[in-house]
Amino acid sequence: MPAYILSTGAYRPRVQQPNHALTERFFLKRGNKIHQKATVDILEKFTAVTEIRERSIALPEVSASRMGYLAAEEAIERGGVDREAIDYIIVAHNWGDVSTKHNFQDTLPNLAARIKSKLGIRNPRCVAYDILFGCPGWLEGVRQVDLLIRSGEARYVLVVGTDTVSRVVEEYDVDSLLFSDGAGAALMAASASPNTGVLASATRSHCLEELDYLRMGRSFSDRKYLDGLYLKMQGRQVFKYALREVPAVITACLEKAEVDLRDVRYFIMHQANAKMIKAIASRLFAQHGIANYPEDVLPINVYTKGNNSVATIPTLLHEVIDRAHNQRGIERGDLVVFASVGAGMHVNAMIHRF
């Protein structure tokens, strides 16, 4: 039987950082100081383009593994499963635990092992491993869960996405405004029917000229030259790649599952920025001969959460299930398409029937 999302959990950091609180920040772009406009004008343009008004930031004492543990704990409690019966814990992240004092990345022991320890799981047959796959990491973990459960290798699997992206971007970079912190988790089990759970999935990796669209690089400021590496992005190239590849991989899933686009209840996309999410949806529907997509099929939370990397999809799913976006939530029989894109470059998609 296919894998089925039994329950979810999420951790939203307590600190909300609105754009208007950053008016004293000094921005650089590609190493050049931005003199042409006042910071207020830069922030207004950023808000207009991305529709991100604020972002969630973890407190200094809260690590990625801590956030992941809290999200996992909620998923286990909601799922009503004995934690000692969990066969695998798969944790997607990109930087490990990062201190606020510096941005050096701590990945040993791996985050899945840390989360298993925090959960107090003693069973040595519960295997805990990490995935480093850019923003699509959590969804790729879910794809692996489906293979594990279909093969009979596992009954229950916990898949977690957690990142403190705010600690690997630099305050001098305009692109830093996109990113935030957060964690989401899903507990998965075998579906009771071959017609529910994961119906189809697909992943593509383009790693030639696309390799450096998102990368770690030196600071734009000489003052922070020795402080480590920071997330750098070729925003225009990422946008063009996502607009081309995400609709294609979703369509591949629809065809594989023999599902009509019109029958999908929700499209839960990676929350990179609202402009990109809406452009992808418009392109997808246009390719299927539909002029406009219904707004209620495309929940978006990046307006106030920001882009927290691997955590965007599981946290948004958790919100939709909890009726945070409408009173309907997710009902039995609903078809949900998940899709993500990120560093590598990688793109993936999945269709799940609840």
Side-chain angles (χ1 to χ4, degrees), residues 113-174:
R114 297 181 192 191
I115 291 172
K116 179 182 176 181
S117 177
K118 294 177 193 296
L119 290 169
I121 297 175
R122 294 186 175 276
N123 180 7
R125 292 184 295 277
C126 173
V127 178
Y129 70 90
D130 296 6
I131 292 180
L132 198 159
F133 198 66
C135 293
W138 182 84
L139 192 54
E140 196 63 22
V142 173
R143 294 189 71 232
Q144 292 186 11
V145 172
D146 187 46
L147 295 174
L148 288 167
I149 288 177
R150 285 179 186 269
S151 69
E153 176 68 19
R155 288 194 308 157
Y156 298 109
V157 181
L158 187 63
V159 57
V160 180
T162 182
D163 261 325
T164 50
V165 197
S166 70
R167 299 177 188 178
V168 296
V169 295
E170 58 172 324
E171 60 189 20
Y172 306 101
D173 186 352
V174 174

Short mmCIF file of all heavy atoms in Angstrom, two decimals, residues 113-174:
data_model
loop_
_atom_site.label_atom_id
_atom_site.label_comp_id
_atom_site.label_asym_id
_atom_site.label_seq_id
_atom_site.Cartn_x
_atom_site.Cartn_y
_atom_site.Cartn_z
N ALA A 113 19.28 12.22 14.48
CA ALA A 113 19.70 11.57 15.72
C ALA A 113 19.39 12.46 16.92
O ALA A 113 18.94 11.97 17.97
CB ALA A 113 21.19 11.25 15.66
N ARG A 114 19.62 13.75 16.79
CA ARG A 114 19.33 14.68 17.88
C ARG A 114 17.83 14.71 18.19
O ARG A 114 17.43 14.74 19.35
CB ARG A 114 19.82 16.08 17.51
CG ARG A 114 21.32 16.16 17.32
CD ARG A 114 21.77 17.57 16.98
NE ARG A 114 23.16 17.56 16.51
CZ ARG A 114 23.91 18.62 16.33
NH1 ARG A 114 23.41 19.82 16.57
NH2 ARG A 114 25.16 18.52 15.90
N ILE A 115 17.02 14.71 17.13
CA ILE A 115 15.58 14.74 17.33
C ILE A 115 15.09 13.43 17.94
O ILE A 115 14.24 13.43 18.85
CB ILE A 115 14.87 15.06 16.00
CG1 ILE A 115 15.16 16.52 15.62
CG2 ILE A 115 13.37 14.80 16.09
CD1 ILE A 115 14.67 16.91 14.24
N LYS A 116 15.63 12.31 17.49
CA LYS A 116 15.27 11.03 18.10
C LYS A 116 15.61 11.03 19.58
O LYS A 116 14.82 10.55 20.43
CB LYS A 116 15.99 9.88 17.39
CG LYS A 116 15.68 8.51 18.01
CD LYS A 116 16.45 7.37 17.35
CE LYS A 116 16.16 6.06 18.07
NZ LYS A 116 16.89 4.92 17.49
N SER A 117 16.76 11.56 19.94
CA SER A 117 17.17 11.64 21.34
C SER A 117 16.21 12.51 22.15
O SER A 117 15.78 12.14 23.25
CB SER A 117 18.60 12.19 21.44
OG SER A 117 18.99 12.33 22.79
N LYS A 118 15.85 13.68 21.59
CA LYS A 118 14.93 14.57 22.28
C LYS A 118 13.56 13.92 22.47
O LYS A 118 12.86 14.17 23.46
CB LYS A 118 14.79 15.89 21.52
CG LYS A 118 16.06 16.74 21.47
CD LYS A 118 15.83 18.00 20.63
CE LYS A 118 17.14 18.71 20.31
NZ LYS A 118 17.82 19.22 21.50
N LEU A 119 13.16 13.09 21.51
CA LEU A 119 11.88 12.40 21.60
C LEU A 119 11.92 11.24 22.60
O LEU A 119 10.87 10.68 22.95
CB LEU A 119 11.46 11.85 20.22
CG LEU A 119 11.06 12.90 19.17
CD1 LEU A 119 10.92 12.25 17.80
CD2 LEU A 119 9.76 13.59 19.56
N GLY A 120 13.12 10.88 23.04
CA GLY A 120 13.27 9.81 24.02
C GLY A 120 13.01 8.43 23.47
O GLY A 120 12.64 7.50 24.22
N ILE A 121 13.20 8.24 22.16
CA ILE A 121 12.96 6.93 21.54
C ILE A 121 14.17 6.02 21.77
O ILE A 121 15.28 6.33 21.35
CB ILE A 121 12.68 7.08 20.03
CG1 ILE A 121 11.39 7.89 19.82
CG2 ILE A 121 12.57 5.71 19.36
CD1 ILE A 121 11.09 8.21 18.38
N ARG A 122 13.94 4.89 22.43
CA ARG A 122 15.03 3.96 22.76
C ARG A 122 15.22 2.88 21.70
O ARG A 122 16.30 2.29 21.61
CB ARG A 122 14.75 3.30 24.12
CG ARG A 122 14.79 4.29 25.28
CD ARG A 122 14.66 3.57 26.62
NE ARG A 122 14.81 4.51 27.73
CZ ARG A 122 15.97 4.90 28.23
NH1 ARG A 122 17.10 4.39 27.72
NH2 ARG A 122 16.03 5.76 29.23
N ASN A 123 14.23 2.59 20.93
CA ASN A 123 14.27 1.49 19.96
C ASN A 123 15.42 1.68 18.97
O ASN A 123 15.40 2.61 18.15
CB ASN A 123 12.94 1.43 19.21
CG ASN A 123 12.90 0.32 18.18
OD1 ASN A 123 13.80 -0.50 18.09
ND2 ASN A 123 11.83 0.29 17.39
N PRO A 124 16.44 0.81 18.98
CA PRO A 124 17.57 0.98 18.06
C PRO A 124 17.21 0.68 16.61
O PRO A 124 17.95 1.05 15.70
CB PRO A 124 18.60 -0.03 18.59
CG PRO A 124 17.79 -1.09 19.26
CD PRO A 124 16.63 -0.35 19.88
N ARG A 125 16.07 0.04 16.40
CA ARG A 125 15.63 -0.24 15.03
C ARG A 125 14.94 0.97 14.39
O ARG A 125 14.60 0.93 13.22
CB ARG A 125 14.70 -1.46 15.01
CG ARG A 125 15.41 -2.77 15.35
CD ARG A 125 14.48 -3.95 15.23
NE ARG A 125 13.40 -3.89 16.21
CZ ARG A 125 13.52 -4.28 17.47
NH1 ARG A 125 14.66 -4.77 17.90
NH2 ARG A 125 12.50 -4.19 18.31
N CYS A 126 14.76 2.03 15.17
CA CYS A 126 14.27 3.29 14.62
C CYS A 126 15.48 4.03 14.04
O CYS A 126 16.31 4.57 14.78
CB CYS A 126 13.60 4.13 15.70
SG CYS A 126 13.14 5.80 15.15
N VAL A 127 15.59 4.02 12.73
CA VAL A 127 16.76 4.57 12.03
C VAL A 127 16.55 6.06 11.79
O VAL A 127 15.51 6.47 11.26
CB VAL A 127 17.00 3.84 10.71
CG1 VAL A 127 18.20 4.44 9.97
CG2 VAL A 127 17.20 2.34 10.96
N ALA A 128 17.53 6.87 12.18
CA ALA A 128 17.41 8.33 12.08
C ALA A 128 18.48 8.88 11.14
O ALA A 128 19.67 8.80 11.43
CB ALA A 128 17.56 8.95 13.47
N TYR A 129 18.03 9.41 10.00
CA TYR A 129 19.01 9.97 9.05
C TYR A 129 18.51 11.27 8.45
O TYR A 129 17.32 11.59 8.51
CB TYR A 129 19.37 8.96 7.96
CG TYR A 129 18.30 8.65 6.94
CD1 TYR A 129 18.19 9.39 5.76
CD2 TYR A 129 17.43 7.58 7.11
CE1 TYR A 129 17.23 9.10 4.81
CE2 TYR A 129 16.46 7.26 6.16
CZ TYR A 129 16.38 8.03 5.01
OH TYR A 129 15.42 7.73 4.06
N ASP A 130 19.44 12.03 7.88
CA ASP A 130 19.17 13.37 7.35
C ASP A 130 19.14 13.37 5.82
O ASP A 130 19.74 12.50 5.17
CB ASP A 130 20.25 14.36 7.79
CG ASP A 130 20.28 14.58 9.29
OD1 ASP A 130 19.55 13.88 10.01
OD2 ASP A 130 21.04 15.46 9.73
N ILE A 131 18.47 14.38 5.30
CA ILE A 131 18.48 14.66 3.85
C ILE A 131 18.93 16.11 3.66
O ILE A 131 18.40 17.01 4.31
CB ILE A 131 17.09 14.49 3.23
CG1 ILE A 131 16.66 13.03 3.23
CG2 ILE A 131 17.07 15.02 1.80
CD1 ILE A 131 15.29 12.81 2.63
N LEU A 132 19.88 16.31 2.77
CA LEU A 132 20.29 17.65 2.38
C LEU A 132 20.01 17.77 0.89
O LEU A 132 20.71 17.21 0.06
CB LEU A 132 21.78 17.88 2.68
CG LEU A 132 22.27 19.33 2.71
CD1 LEU A 132 23.56 19.44 3.50
CD2 LEU A 132 22.47 19.88 1.32
N PHE A 133 18.92 18.48 0.55
CA PHE A 133 18.43 18.49 -0.83
C PHE A 133 17.82 19.84 -1.20
O PHE A 133 16.92 19.93 -2.00
CB PHE A 133 17.38 17.37 -0.98
CG PHE A 133 17.09 16.95 -2.40
CD1 PHE A 133 18.06 16.33 -3.17
CD2 PHE A 133 15.84 17.17 -2.94
CE1 PHE A 133 17.78 15.92 -4.48
CE2 PHE A 133 15.54 16.77 -4.25
CZ PHE A 133 16.52 16.15 -5.02
N GLY A 134 18.33 20.91 -0.58
CA GLY A 134 17.75 22.21 -0.84
C GLY A 134 16.34 22.30 -0.28
O GLY A 134 15.91 21.48 0.53
N CYS A 135 15.60 23.28 -0.73
CA CYS A 135 14.23 23.47 -0.25
C CYS A 135 13.31 22.28 -0.52
O CYS A 135 12.37 22.05 0.24
CB CYS A 135 13.63 24.75 -0.85
SG CYS A 135 14.44 26.26 -0.26
N PRO A 136 13.53 21.49 -1.58
CA PRO A 136 12.67 20.32 -1.81
C PRO A 136 12.95 19.14 -0.88
O PRO A 136 12.38 18.06 -1.06
CB PRO A 136 12.97 19.93 -3.27
CG PRO A 136 13.59 21.13 -3.88
CD PRO A 136 14.36 21.78 -2.77
N GLY A 137 13.82 19.32 0.13
CA GLY A 137 14.26 18.21 0.96
C GLY A 137 13.14 17.48 1.68
O GLY A 137 13.13 16.25 1.74
N TRP A 138 12.19 18.24 2.28
CA TRP A 138 11.11 17.56 3.02
C TRP A 138 10.26 16.72 2.09
O TRP A 138 9.94 15.57 2.39
CB TRP A 138 10.23 18.58 3.74
CG TRP A 138 9.15 17.91 4.55
CD1 TRP A 138 9.26 17.41 5.81
CD2 TRP A 138 7.80 17.66 4.14
NE1 TRP A 138 8.07 16.85 6.22
CE2 TRP A 138 7.15 16.99 5.21
CE3 TRP A 138 7.08 17.93 2.98
CZ2 TRP A 138 5.82 16.59 5.14
CZ3 TRP A 138 5.74 17.53 2.91
CH2 TRP A 138 5.12 16.87 3.99
N LEU A 139 9.91 17.27 0.94
CA LEU A 139 9.08 16.52 0.00
C LEU A 139 9.83 15.31 -0.54
O LEU A 139 9.23 14.25 -0.75
CB LEU A 139 8.64 17.44 -1.15
CG LEU A 139 7.56 16.90 -2.07
CD1 LEU A 139 6.33 16.47 -1.30
CD2 LEU A 139 7.20 17.94 -3.14
N GLU A 140 11.14 15.43 -0.72
CA GLU A 140 11.93 14.27 -1.16
C GLU A 140 11.94 13.21 -0.07
O GLU A 140 11.92 12.01 -0.35
CB GLU A 140 13.34 14.70 -1.52
CG GLU A 140 14.11 13.68 -2.33
CD GLU A 140 13.47 13.40 -3.69
OE1 GLU A 140 12.70 14.25 -4.21
OE2 GLU A 140 13.74 12.31 -4.24
N GLY A 141 11.96 13.65 1.20
CA GLY A 141 11.86 12.70 2.30
C GLY A 141 10.55 11.95 2.27
O GLY A 141 10.50 10.73 2.51
N VAL A 142 9.46 12.63 1.96
CA VAL A 142 8.15 11.98 1.85
C VAL A 142 8.16 10.95 0.72
O VAL A 142 7.58 9.86 0.85
CB VAL A 142 7.04 13.03 1.64
CG1 VAL A 142 5.70 12.36 1.35
CG2 VAL A 142 6.91 13.92 2.87
N ARG A 143 8.82 11.28 -0.37
CA ARG A 143 8.94 10.31 -1.47
C ARG A 143 9.69 9.06 -1.01
O ARG A 143 9.32 7.94 -1.38
CB ARG A 143 9.65 10.94 -2.67
CG ARG A 143 8.90 12.08 -3.35
CD ARG A 143 9.59 12.49 -4.65
NE ARG A 143 9.43 11.47 -5.66
CZ ARG A 143 10.42 10.91 -6.36
NH1 ARG A 143 11.69 11.27 -6.14
NH2 ARG A 143 10.18 10.02 -7.29
N GLN A 144 10.73 9.24 -0.21
CA GLN A 144 11.46 8.09 0.31
C GLN A 144 10.60 7.27 1.27
O GLN A 144 10.67 6.04 1.28
CB GLN A 144 12.74 8.55 1.00
CG GLN A 144 13.77 9.13 0.04
CD GLN A 144 15.08 9.46 0.71
OE1 GLN A 144 15.33 9.09 1.85
NE2 GLN A 144 15.94 10.17 0.00
N VAL A 145 9.79 7.96 2.06
CA VAL A 145 8.87 7.26 2.97
C VAL A 145 7.93 6.36 2.18
O VAL A 145 7.67 5.21 2.56
CB VAL A 145 8.06 8.27 3.80
CG1 VAL A 145 6.98 7.55 4.60
CG2 VAL A 145 8.97 9.05 4.74
N ASP A 146 7.42 6.88 1.07
CA ASP A 146 6.50 6.09 0.25
C ASP A 146 7.16 4.80 -0.23
O ASP A 146 6.55 3.72 -0.22
CB ASP A 146 6.03 6.93 -0.94
CG ASP A 146 4.94 6.24 -1.74
OD1 ASP A 146 3.99 5.70 -1.13
OD2 ASP A 146 5.02 6.24 -2.98
N LEU A 147 8.42 4.90 -0.63
CA LEU A 147 9.15 3.70 -1.07
C LEU A 147 9.36 2.73 0.08
O LEU A 147 9.21 1.51 -0.08
CB LEU A 147 10.50 4.11 -1.67
CG LEU A 147 10.44 4.94 -2.96
CD1 LEU A 147 11.84 5.40 -3.35
CD2 LEU A 147 9.81 4.14 -4.09
N LEU A 148 9.71 3.23 1.25
CA LEU A 148 9.92 2.38 2.42
C LEU A 148 8.65 1.64 2.82
O LEU A 148 8.67 0.44 3.13
CB LEU A 148 10.42 3.22 3.60
CG LEU A 148 11.85 3.74 3.53
CD1 LEU A 148 12.09 4.80 4.61
CD2 LEU A 148 12.85 2.59 3.69
N ILE A 149 7.53 2.34 2.81
CA ILE A 149 6.27 1.73 3.23
C ILE A 149 5.74 0.77 2.17
O ILE A 149 5.27 -0.33 2.49
CB ILE A 149 5.25 2.82 3.59
CG1 ILE A 149 5.67 3.49 4.91
CG2 ILE A 149 3.84 2.26 3.69
CD1 ILE A 149 4.79 4.63 5.36
N ARG A 150 5.84 1.14 0.91
CA ARG A 150 5.39 0.23 -0.15
C ARG A 150 6.18 -1.07 -0.16
O ARG A 150 5.64 -2.13 -0.46
CB ARG A 150 5.52 0.92 -1.52
CG ARG A 150 4.47 1.98 -1.81
CD ARG A 150 4.70 2.60 -3.17
NE ARG A 150 3.82 3.72 -3.45
CZ ARG A 150 2.63 3.62 -4.04
NH1 ARG A 150 2.19 2.43 -4.42
NH2 ARG A 150 1.89 4.70 -4.26
N SER A 151 7.47 -0.98 0.17
CA SER A 151 8.32 -2.17 0.15
C SER A 151 8.13 -3.06 1.37
O SER A 151 8.64 -4.18 1.42
CB SER A 151 9.79 -1.75 0.08
OG SER A 151 10.20 -1.14 1.29
N GLY A 152 7.42 -2.56 2.39
CA GLY A 152 7.25 -3.32 3.62
C GLY A 152 8.37 -3.13 4.61
O GLY A 152 8.39 -3.75 5.67
N GLU A 153 9.31 -2.24 4.30
CA GLU A 153 10.46 -1.99 5.17
C GLU A 153 10.06 -1.21 6.42
O GLU A 153 10.74 -1.28 7.44
CB GLU A 153 11.53 -1.22 4.38
CG GLU A 153 12.75 -0.80 5.18
CD GLU A 153 13.61 -1.97 5.63
OE1 GLU A 153 13.48 -3.07 5.04
OE2 GLU A 153 14.41 -1.79 6.58
N ALA A 154 8.97 -0.46 6.33
CA ALA A 154 8.56 0.38 7.46
C ALA A 154 7.05 0.42 7.58
O ALA A 154 6.33 0.30 6.58
CB ALA A 154 9.11 1.80 7.29
N ARG A 155 6.58 0.60 8.82
CA ARG A 155 5.15 0.80 9.08
C ARG A 155 4.85 2.26 9.38
O ARG A 155 3.88 2.82 8.88
CB ARG A 155 4.70 -0.06 10.26
CG ARG A 155 4.59 -1.53 9.98
CD ARG A 155 3.82 -2.21 11.11
NE ARG A 155 4.38 -1.88 12.43
CZ ARG A 155 3.69 -1.94 13.56
NH1 ARG A 155 2.42 -2.33 13.54
NH2 ARG A 155 4.25 -1.64 14.72
N TYR A 156 5.68 2.85 10.24
CA TYR A 156 5.50 4.25 10.62
C TYR A 156 6.81 5.00 10.39
O TYR A 156 7.88 4.53 10.81
CB TYR A 156 5.10 4.37 12.09
CG TYR A 156 3.78 3.71 12.43
CD1 TYR A 156 3.74 2.56 13.19
CD2 TYR A 156 2.58 4.26 11.98
CE1 TYR A 156 2.54 1.94 13.50
CE2 TYR A 156 1.37 3.65 12.28
CZ TYR A 156 1.36 2.50 13.04
OH TYR A 156 0.16 1.89 13.35
N VAL A 157 6.71 6.16 9.76
CA VAL A 157 7.89 6.98 9.51
C VAL A 157 7.56 8.43 9.82
O VAL A 157 6.49 8.93 9.45
CB VAL A 157 8.37 6.86 8.05
CG1 VAL A 157 9.63 7.72 7.84
CG2 VAL A 157 8.64 5.42 7.67
N LEU A 158 8.47 9.08 10.50
CA LEU A 158 8.36 10.50 10.82
C LEU A 158 9.29 11.26 9.89
O LEU A 158 10.48 10.97 9.82
CB LEU A 158 8.76 10.72 12.28
CG LEU A 158 8.56 12.10 12.90
CD1 LEU A 158 7.08 12.47 12.94
CD2 LEU A 158 9.16 12.12 14.30
N VAL A 159 8.74 12.22 9.16
CA VAL A 159 9.57 13.03 8.26
C VAL A 159 9.44 14.49 8.66
O VAL A 159 8.34 15.02 8.79
CB VAL A 159 9.20 12.80 6.78
CG1 VAL A 159 7.74 13.07 6.49
CG2 VAL A 159 10.09 13.62 5.86
N VAL A 160 10.59 15.12 8.90
CA VAL A 160 10.67 16.46 9.48
C VAL A 160 11.43 17.39 8.54
O VAL A 160 12.41 16.98 7.92
CB VAL A 160 11.38 16.42 10.85
CG1 VAL A 160 11.46 17.82 11.46
CG2 VAL A 160 10.70 15.44 11.80
N GLY A 161 10.97 18.63 8.46
CA GLY A 161 11.72 19.67 7.75
C GLY A 161 11.98 20.82 8.69
O GLY A 161 11.03 21.35 9.29
N THR A 162 13.24 21.21 8.86
CA THR A 162 13.56 22.28 9.82
C THR A 162 14.80 23.05 9.38
O THR A 162 15.79 22.45 8.95
CB THR A 162 13.76 21.71 11.24
OG1 THR A 162 14.02 22.77 12.15
CG2 THR A 162 14.90 20.70 11.29
N ASP A 163 14.73 24.36 9.47
CA ASP A 163 15.88 25.20 9.10
C ASP A 163 15.78 26.56 9.78
O ASP A 163 14.69 27.11 9.95
CB ASP A 163 15.95 25.43 7.58
CG ASP A 163 16.92 24.51 6.88
OD1 ASP A 163 17.98 24.20 7.47
OD2 ASP A 163 16.64 24.11 5.73
N THR A 164 16.95 27.10 10.16
CA THR A 164 17.05 28.49 10.63
C THR A 164 17.79 29.27 9.55
O THR A 164 18.97 29.57 9.68
CB THR A 164 17.80 28.57 11.98
OG1 THR A 164 19.03 27.84 11.87
CG2 THR A 164 16.96 28.00 13.11
N VAL A 165 17.07 29.59 8.49
CA VAL A 165 17.70 30.24 7.34
C VAL A 165 18.16 31.65 7.69
O VAL A 165 19.12 32.16 7.11
CB VAL A 165 16.74 30.28 6.14
CG1 VAL A 165 17.51 30.57 4.85
CG2 VAL A 165 15.97 28.98 5.99
N SER A 166 17.50 32.28 8.65
CA SER A 166 17.88 33.65 9.03
C SER A 166 19.31 33.74 9.54
O SER A 166 19.89 34.82 9.57
CB SER A 166 16.92 34.19 10.10
OG SER A 166 17.12 33.53 11.35
N ARG A 167 19.89 32.59 9.91
CA ARG A 167 21.25 32.59 10.47
C ARG A 167 22.33 32.34 9.42
O ARG A 167 23.52 32.35 9.75
CB ARG A 167 21.34 31.55 11.59
CG ARG A 167 20.38 31.85 12.72
CD ARG A 167 20.38 30.80 13.81
NE ARG A 167 19.29 31.07 14.77
CZ ARG A 167 19.00 30.31 15.80
NH1 ARG A 167 19.72 29.21 16.04
NH2 ARG A 167 17.99 30.62 16.60
N VAL A 168 21.93 32.08 8.18
CA VAL A 168 22.92 31.85 7.13
C VAL A 168 22.81 32.89 6.01
O VAL A 168 23.44 32.76 4.97
CB VAL A 168 22.82 30.43 6.55
CG1 VAL A 168 23.15 29.40 7.61
CG2 VAL A 168 21.44 30.17 5.95
N VAL A 169 21.97 33.90 6.22
CA VAL A 169 21.93 35.04 5.30
C VAL A 169 22.55 36.23 6.02
O VAL A 169 22.61 36.26 7.24
CB VAL A 169 20.49 35.38 4.86
CG1 VAL A 169 19.91 34.26 4.04
CG2 VAL A 169 19.60 35.68 6.06
N GLU A 170 23.04 37.19 5.26
CA GLU A 170 23.66 38.35 5.90
C GLU A 170 22.77 39.58 5.78
O GLU A 170 22.08 39.79 4.78
CB GLU A 170 25.04 38.63 5.31
CG GLU A 170 25.06 38.88 3.81
CD GLU A 170 26.44 39.33 3.35
OE1 GLU A 170 27.10 40.06 4.10
OE2 GLU A 170 26.82 38.97 2.22
N GLU A 171 22.81 40.37 6.80
CA GLU A 171 21.92 41.53 6.89
C GLU A 171 22.20 42.57 5.83
O GLU A 171 21.38 43.45 5.58
CB GLU A 171 22.06 42.18 8.27
CG GLU A 171 23.46 42.67 8.57
CD GLU A 171 23.61 43.10 10.02
OE1 GLU A 171 22.80 42.69 10.84
OE2 GLU A 171 24.56 43.84 10.30
N TYR A 172 23.35 42.47 5.16
CA TYR A 172 23.70 43.45 4.14
C TYR A 172 23.12 43.11 2.78
O TYR A 172 23.22 43.90 1.85
CB TYR A 172 25.23 43.55 4.02
CG TYR A 172 25.92 43.84 5.32
CD1 TYR A 172 26.55 42.82 6.03
CD2 TYR A 172 25.93 45.12 5.85
CE1 TYR A 172 27.17 43.08 7.24
CE2 TYR A 172 26.54 45.39 7.06
CZ TYR A 172 27.16 44.36 7.75
OH TYR A 172 27.77 44.63 8.95
N ASP A 173 22.53 41.93 2.65
CA ASP A 173 22.06 41.43 1.37
C ASP A 173 20.55 41.62 1.27
O ASP A 173 19.80 41.15 2.14
CB ASP A 173 22.42 39.94 1.25
CG ASP A 173 22.11 39.36 -0.11
OD1 ASP A 173 21.47 40.03 -0.93
OD2 ASP A 173 22.51 38.19 -0.34
N VAL A 174 20.07 42.27 0.22
CA VAL A 174 18.64 42.48 0.03
C VAL A 174 17.89 41.14 0.03
O VAL A 174 16.78 41.04 0.56
CB VAL A 174 18.38 43.23 -1.29
CG1 VAL A 174 16.89 43.32 -1.58
CG2 VAL A 174 18.99 44.62 -1.24
#
